[in-house]
Amino acid sequence: MQVFNRTTVVTQFILVGFSSLQELQLLLFVIFLFLYLTILMTNATIMAVIRYSRTLHTPMYGFLFILSLSESCYTFVIIPQLLVHLLSATKTISFMACATQLFFFLGFACTNCFLIAVMGYDRYVAICHPLRYILIMNKRLGLGLVSLSGVTGFLIALVATNLIRDMPFCGPNRVNHYFCDMAPVIKLACTDTHVKELALFSLSILVIMVPFLSILISYGFIVNTILKIPSAEGKRKAFATCASHLTVVFVHYGCASIIYLRPKSKSASDKDQLVAVTYTVVTPLLNPLVYSLRNQEVKTALKRVLGMPMATKVA
């Protein structure tokens, strides 16, 4: 039996998930399978278009490539197990598997938060310092920012996972969620968790609010710069460039804030699962759709890669 400390007696958890919707299990399986395949297909398409279109070999699309890859890995940590449990009578997960899932879920989630902030900084440099953009956002800085996002994200995930893993679990083992997330697992610990919950809340502020505030500051400078553009067409193009990123920002950080930045007394696990579907399924699906449908450069590059006829302007 795998144990983590002397007081641990629970060696596996039961993921309650959508068990209350027993008659809809097959329908939910079909829906989540379709969404998962769509996520993989759209993110793979975005990565392929960026990889094979030389016009998209810029820092902005490099960050989008990494974000699409990270989102694909992020959903891989959660959705396949959900699909298995929807068709299975037993919905158990071992202590070790739960800790592993929690670590990778938090690692990719934190990395995504930092990557989106990096993309906000990239837009700030591109709009506020266009003549120095190539000089500032060089390959070395781009790789450094991506590496820093990943390393910081997984270090935070390691700290958070260890804080939870070392708690004693000796009572109920039914996790009121469809994957191992922090709050539903902590509720099962048979000890006072206030100190560790405070530490985890502090980490949540670091991961969610710090990047979000940095994005708001970046866009404050961006809006100020755009308003100084003399032509209406120039303003429209500048705002259009930022619209896709802002859409992702508010959906991503909004859902994360609802779950991780609220008092413990206001937790409501049943509703949490609906919000969790948004940030584990809808957001990874939204990102490539928003960036492709609202971005003319990506649409043009996609047509070129697929060999579709290009529209030409008549002089």
Side-chain angles (χ1 to χ4, degrees), residues 88-108:
S88 174
T90 59
K91 306 179 188 299
T92 58
I93 183 172
S94 70
F95 203 122
M96 177 63 79
C98 184
T100 301
Q101 184 185 57
L102 179 62
F103 169 71
F104 282 105
F105 162 71
L106 292 176
F108 286 116

Side-chain angles (χ1 to χ4, degrees), residues 3 80 118 128 174 225:
V3 296
V118 167
C128 297
R174 293 174 62 85
T225 300

Side-chain angles (χ1 to χ4, degrees), residues 48-308:
V49 169
I50 293 173
R51 172 66 179 81
Y52 292 108
S53 179
R54 297 182 64 86
T55 59
L56 300 183
H57 289 182
T58 64
M60 173 184 173
Y61 294 108
F63 296 138
L64 179 56
F65 181 97
I66 299 299
L67 180 63
S68 294
L69 177 61
S70 181
E71 292 279 22
S72 298
C73 296
Y74 171 76
T75 55
F76 178 75
V77 173
I78 299 170
I79 301 182
Q81 178 190 260
L82 170 62
L83 293 173
V84 171
H85 282 179
L86 285 172
L87 295 182
S88 174
T90 59
K91 306 179 188 299
T92 58
I93 183 172
S94 70
F95 203 122
M96 177 63 79
C98 184
T100 301
Q101 184 185 57
L102 179 62
F103 169 71
F104 282 105
F105 162 71
L106 292 176
F108 286 116
C110 293
T111 297
N112 292 344
C113 283
F114 295 131
L115 281 174
I116 293 173
V118 167
M119 294 173 75
Y121 174 70
D122 173 77
R123 290 299 82 208
Y124 158 74
V125 176
I127 293 175
C128 297
H129 304 283
L131 299 180
R132 300 172 56 201
Y133 178 72
I134 299 300
L135 181 63
I136 297 175
M137 293 302 298
N138 54 58
K139 186 175 181 179
R140 181 178 179 181
L141 179 61
L143 290 175
L145 290 173
V146 169
S147 300
L148 182 62
S149 298
V151 171
T152 305
F154 276 92
L155 281 177
I156 291 174
L158 181 62
V159 172
T161 303
N162 281 332
L163 285 173
I164 296 173
R165 187 194 65 177
D166 291 335
M167 294 179 182
F169 294 91
C170 52
N173 67 339
R174 293 174 62 85
V175 179
N176 194 11
H177 216 312
Y178 59 87
F179 68 95
C180 289
D181 200 0
M182 293 192 296
V185 174
I186 290 174
K187 286 181 180 179
L188 303 180
C190 48
T191 186
D192 186 359
T193 61
H194 285 87
V195 174
K196 290 190 175 183
E197 284 188 282
L198 181 60
L200 292 170
F201 182 74
S202 300
L203 289 177
S204 298
I205 292 177
L206 173 63
V207 172
I208 298 171
M209 292 309 299
V210 172
F212 182 65
L213 289 176
S214 72
I215 292 172
L216 290 183
I217 293 172
S218 295
Y219 273 95
F221 287 108
I222 288 173
V223 171
N224 183 58
T225 300
I226 291 176
L227 292 177
K228 294 178 181 179
I229 297 176
S231 69
E233 181 64 17
K235 291 179 181 179
R236 188 192 65 79
K237 288 184 178 180
F239 277 120
T241 302
C242 301
S244 302
H245 183 249
L246 279 176
T247 302
V248 172
V249 165
F250 285 111
V251 173
H252 185 92
Y253 290 102
C255 292
S257 298
I258 291 173
I259 296 295
Y260 300 107
L261 297 181
R262 66 178 182 194
K264 178 183 176 182
S265 60
K266 292 186 179 180
S267 60
S269 296
D270 291 335
K271 294 181 180 178
D272 284 355
Q273 292 193 59
L274 297 178
V275 179
V277 169
T278 302
Y279 68 77
T280 59
V281 180
V282 177
T283 300
L285 179 62
L286 176 69
N287 289 352
L289 292 178
V290 167
Y291 280 112
S292 59
L293 294 178
R294 295 184 62 90
N295 191 303
Q296 188 59 46
E297 286 183 309
V298 173
K299 289 191 287 186
T300 301
L302 178 59
K303 291 179 181 179
R304 186 179 294 112
V305 169
L306 295 176
M308 297 174 63

